[in-house]
């Protein structure tokens, strides 16, 4: 049973994000978190397609090295890859099933070893094609009814709206431009996490927390700060000087 | 990627040029031959190091089109670099001239009706822009767009290799075959920057060099760096001798 009462929260949170200082990665992470909450899944992740139609990780409900790995593996062979190709949701898959084991052996093994039992994948749709996918992983198998799938699909659609909202539809290429920008922003954040992790001697997950608190405290976008940490660390001395 | 490398290898060597400029020029020529494009150019943007300017071009007036943006100080290539995203303008005489009031009409006067600019970047690391010019207005087909993106990836890898001082004796065939790395690679890249005190492009080159030298793939090396079991040191022998300067 999904937490339909939490749906209002999503719209409020999304509306808040859309007004000022929009950061595409922060937005997509928020959507992932809300998608996990509503579907009562344990974790959620979003992947987007690059122009060669290869899926790349862009956001997750939590920062965890293993979750990122699972999302990367399933981008190559997994439910989100299947969902992306067909444009249809792949729901209610039991990861311990022989079928799942056979279709996505690497992903199923990894996800089961992380304690997940079921997976759902919903397409991010735009004008009849999939531009990415939302994946939900659960430690308890809890089948989604058709009506519930539609609600979770609506949350996936919000991700697409966010990707497109930053600029008006000016040219046919705008979606490609936006998708590429999101993917590049994600990479900047990972590079900055690596840098901060070494400077402060903390895990990459903790480095992300540092980065996010700093960006929020300074009223700056996450991606913008990450980019400067990589190229001009001296602009953020309080974050890039080793702590004592 | 393999197909683009093959197309690059088949492209004849221009007379009197060798090294990176020659390779990038062949890449532009291969693009013009294999995509529905009248011209193509690559400009380096230089972020803190190196200078901005046209590196290579193929097709009629492509070099002038590349230079035009630097002359008038606006255009898709400069915007793609600044905004870190592709600039795909299918109608240079129309919407494109609103977008770039100085560049647009001048580019149209040179016979270009559509321009597609792809930034050459790995996350925060930006080295330049690849431009594709067409004489007809209209968007690129999804296939052509994917090809253009792949050509840009190859150009990026060639430039990163050069910037890391690793281009000597290495061929385009030695480039990574993967367009997209796992996220661990980018995290490790940031760590190597701090460990070795090097720029992001060199950090990536060191990662690739270590992977090559130890016969592992770059993701495996990155994972060891992220989990702390491997730390590259300054003494680590680089893959190729560094420039003594």
């Amino acid at each position: 049973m999904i937490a339909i009462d939490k749906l209002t929260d999503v719209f409020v949170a999304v509306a808040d994000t859309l007004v000022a200082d929009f950061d595409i990665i922060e937005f997509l992470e928020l959507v992932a978190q809300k998608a996990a909450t509503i579907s009562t899944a344990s974790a959620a992740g979003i992947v987007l397609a690059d122009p060669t139609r290869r899926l790349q990780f862009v956001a997750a409900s939590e920062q965890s090295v293993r979750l990122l790995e699972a999302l990367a593996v399933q981008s190559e062979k997994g439910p989100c890859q299947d969902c992306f190709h067909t444009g249809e949701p792949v729901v209610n898959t039991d990861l311990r099933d022989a079928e799942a084991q056979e279709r996505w052996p690497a992903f199923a093994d990894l996800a089961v070893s992380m304690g997940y039992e079921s997976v759902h994948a919903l397409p991010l749709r735009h004008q009849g094609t999939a531009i990415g996918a939302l994946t939900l992983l659960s430690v308890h198998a809890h089948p989604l009814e058709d009506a519930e799938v539609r609600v979770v699909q609506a949350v996936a659609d919000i991700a697409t709206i966010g990707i497109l909202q930053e600029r008006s539809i000016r040219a046919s290429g705008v979606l490609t431009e936006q998708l590429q920008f999101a993917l590049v922003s994600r990479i900047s954040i990972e590079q900055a996490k690596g840098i901060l992790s070494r400077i402060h001697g903390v895990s990459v997950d903790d480095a992300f927390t540092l980065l996010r608190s700093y960006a929020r405290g300074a009223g700056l976008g996450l991606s913008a700060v990450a980019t400067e940490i990589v190229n001009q660390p001296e602009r953020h001395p309080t974050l890039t000087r080793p702590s004592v | 990627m393999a197909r683009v490398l093959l197309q690059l290898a088949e492209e004849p060597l221009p007379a009197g040029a060798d090294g990176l400029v020659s390779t990038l020029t062949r890449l532009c020529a291969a693009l013009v031959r294999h995509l529905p494009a009248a011209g193509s150019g690559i400009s380096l943007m230089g972020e803190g190091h190196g200078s901005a300017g046209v590196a290579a071009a193929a097709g009629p007036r492509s070099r002038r089109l590349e230079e035009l943006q630097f002359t008038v100080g606006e255009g898709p290539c400069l915007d793609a670099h600044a905004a870190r995203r592709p600039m795909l303008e299918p109608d240079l005489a129309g919407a494109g001239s609103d977008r770039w009031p100085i560049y647009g009409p001048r580019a149209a006067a040179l016979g270009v009706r559509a321009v597609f600019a792809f930034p050459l970047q790995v996350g925060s690391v930006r080295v330049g822009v690849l431009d594709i010019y067409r004489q007809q207005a209209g968007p690129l087909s999804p296939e052509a767009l994917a090809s253009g993106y792949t050509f840009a990836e190859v150009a990026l890898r060639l430039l990163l290799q050069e910037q890391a001082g690793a281009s000597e004796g290495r061929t385009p065939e030695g480039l990574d075959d993967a367009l997209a790395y796992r996220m661990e690679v980018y995290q490790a890249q940031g760590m190597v920057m701090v460990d070795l005190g090097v720029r992001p492009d060199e950090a990536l080159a060191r990662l690739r060099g270590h992977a090559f030298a130890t016969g592992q793939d770059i993701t495996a090396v990155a994972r060891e760096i992220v989990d702390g079991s491997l730390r590259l040191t300054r003494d680590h022998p680089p893959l190729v001798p560094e420039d003594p300067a």
Side-chain angles (χ1 to χ4, degrees):
Chain A
M1 189 60 203
I2 65 170
I4 197 116
D5 53 314
K6 300 265 172 48
L7 201 53
T8 320
D9 288 358
V10 185
F11 291 112
V12 172
V14 165
D16 279 352
T17 321
L18 291 180
V19 283
D21 297 335
F22 180 83
D23 183 281
I24 185 70
I25 303 297
E26 274 185 292
F27 173 79
L28 293 174
E29 296 210 323
L30 181 74
V31 173
Q33 286 159 12
K34 296 295 176 185
T37 309
I38 287 175
S39 65
T40 65
S42 315
I46 294 174
V47 295
L48 296 178
D50 72 21
T52 64
R53 305 285 288 164
R54 187 194 299 250
L55 293 174
Q56 296 187 44
F57 164 75
V58 72
S61 58
E62 57 187 274
Q63 298 293 309
S64 138
V65 171
R66 294 206 73 200
L67 178 60
L68 257 60
E69 188 187 353
L71 291 168
V73 168
Q74 73 133 350
S75 299
E76 286 157 19
K77 201 165 193 175
C80 84
Q81 171 75 291
D82 289 3
C83 155
F84 174 70
H85 278 298
T86 60
E88 297 296 326
V90 175
V91 293
N92 300 330
T93 309
D94 189 326
L95 287 162
R96 297 157 306 174
D97 253 19
E99 197 199 337
Q101 297 278 349
E102 197 170 301
R103 272 164 86 187
W104 320 299
F107 169 69
D109 279 357
L110 181 62
V112 168
S113 78
M114 293 168 71
Y116 296 119
E117 289 193 355
S118 78
V119 61
H120 310 293
L122 291 308
L124 266 55
R125 306 174 297 189
H126 177 67
Q127 293 178 355
T129 51
I131 59 166
L134 166 71
T135 304
L136 301 166
L137 285 158
S138 296
V139 292
H140 302 295
H142 52 92
L144 293 177
E145 310 269 334
D146 284 355
E148 295 175 326
V149 173
R150 284 202 294 277
V151 172
V152 183
Q153 180 64 54
V155 178
D157 292 341
I158 289 171
T160 310
I161 293 165
I163 290 163
L164 287 166
Q165 75 86 32
E166 201 182 348
R167 297 189 306 168
S168 56
I169 307 287
R170 170 186 36 68
S172 63
V174 71
L175 179 65
T176 305
E177 296 177 13
Q178 289 290 88
L179 289 173
Q180 276 304 101
F181 183 65
L183 293 171
V184 163
S185 299
R186 181 77 241 175
I187 292 171
S188 297
I189 289 169
E190 298 305 320
Q191 291 168 333
K193 278 163 69 175
I195 290 172
L196 295 175
S197 152
R198 274 297 202 264
I199 290 177
H200 297 285
V202 297
S203 71
V204 284
D205 299 350
D206 290 344
F208 180 77
T209 310
L210 278 177
L211 179 68
R212 186 162 55 190
S213 333
Y214 176 85
R216 284 187 182 161
L220 298 167
L222 189 60
S223 310
V225 173
T227 293
E228 289 188 349
I229 296 298
V230 178
N231 287 306
Q232 301 154 288
E234 65 282 358
R235 293 190 61 172
H236 301 280
T238 54
L239 190 58
T240 56
R241 266 190 211 133
S243 42
V244 282
Chain B
M1 181 112 158
R3 198 183 59 200
V4 168
L5 289 175
L6 192 64
Q7 290 168 352
L8 172 60
E10 284 169 353
E11 201 59 40
L13 279 166
D18 59 0
L20 181 68
V21 169
S22 154
T23 310
L24 292 177
T25 305
R26 285 163 69 205
L27 188 68
C28 290
L31 189 155
V32 171
R33 193 185 302 278
H34 296 283
L35 257 75
S40 169
I42 294 170
S43 284
L44 303 186
M45 305 304 286
E47 190 155 41
H49 48 84
S51 57
V54 182
R61 295 185 290 279
S62 291
R63 185 168 289 274
R64 277 177 68 192
L65 283 158
E66 289 288 304
E67 282 165 357
L68 175 63
Q69 313 195 39
F70 291 104
T71 310
V72 301
E74 66 167 34
C77 156
L78 298 180
D79 280 6
H81 178 74
R84 301 173 182 276
R85 67 176 103 213
M87 290 286 153
L88 310 176
E89 182 49 70
D91 183 14
L92 207 46
S97 290
D98 297 337
R99 219 170 166 185
W100 303 293
I102 309 169
Y103 168 84
R106 283 171 176 75
L110 288 168
V112 175
R113 287 290 177 275
V115 59
F116 308 93
F118 297 85
L120 308 178
Q121 59 191 358
V122 186
S124 298
V125 184
R126 302 182 289 180
V127 294
V129 177
L130 176 135
D131 292 310
I132 298 174
Y133 302 107
R134 296 193 68 193
Q135 289 171 336
Q136 302 83 30
L140 285 176
S141 69
E143 296 73 28
L145 188 65
S147 284
Y149 172 79
T150 307
F151 271 98
E153 283 289 328
V154 171
L156 169 68
R157 297 290 153 91
L158 289 167
L159 284 163
L160 286 177
Q161 202 161 283
E162 171 76 11
Q163 286 199 348
S167 64
E168 289 301 311
R170 293 199 61 182
T171 59
E173 286 74 15
L175 293 173
D176 290 333
D177 201 26
L179 290 182
Y181 289 135
R182 295 283 182 81
M183 291 301 151
E184 298 95 300
V185 174
Y186 305 116
Q187 294 167 0
Q189 184 187 5
M191 292 178 173
V192 172
M193 283 173 65
V194 176
D195 290 345
L196 302 183
V198 295
R199 293 195 315 257
D201 47 359
E202 186 178 346
L204 190 60
R206 290 297 189 98
L207 277 171
R208 292 174 58 215
H210 186 83
F212 186 79
T214 57
Q216 291 173 281
D217 74 38
I218 190 168
T219 308
V221 171
R223 203 164 283 160
E224 286 180 14
I225 288 174
V226 171
D227 73 21
S229 58
L230 172 69
R231 192 177 276 242
L232 298 189
T233 64
R234 274 173 226 276
D235 306 328
H236 237 89
L239 188 60
V240 292
E242 281 180 333
D243 189 340

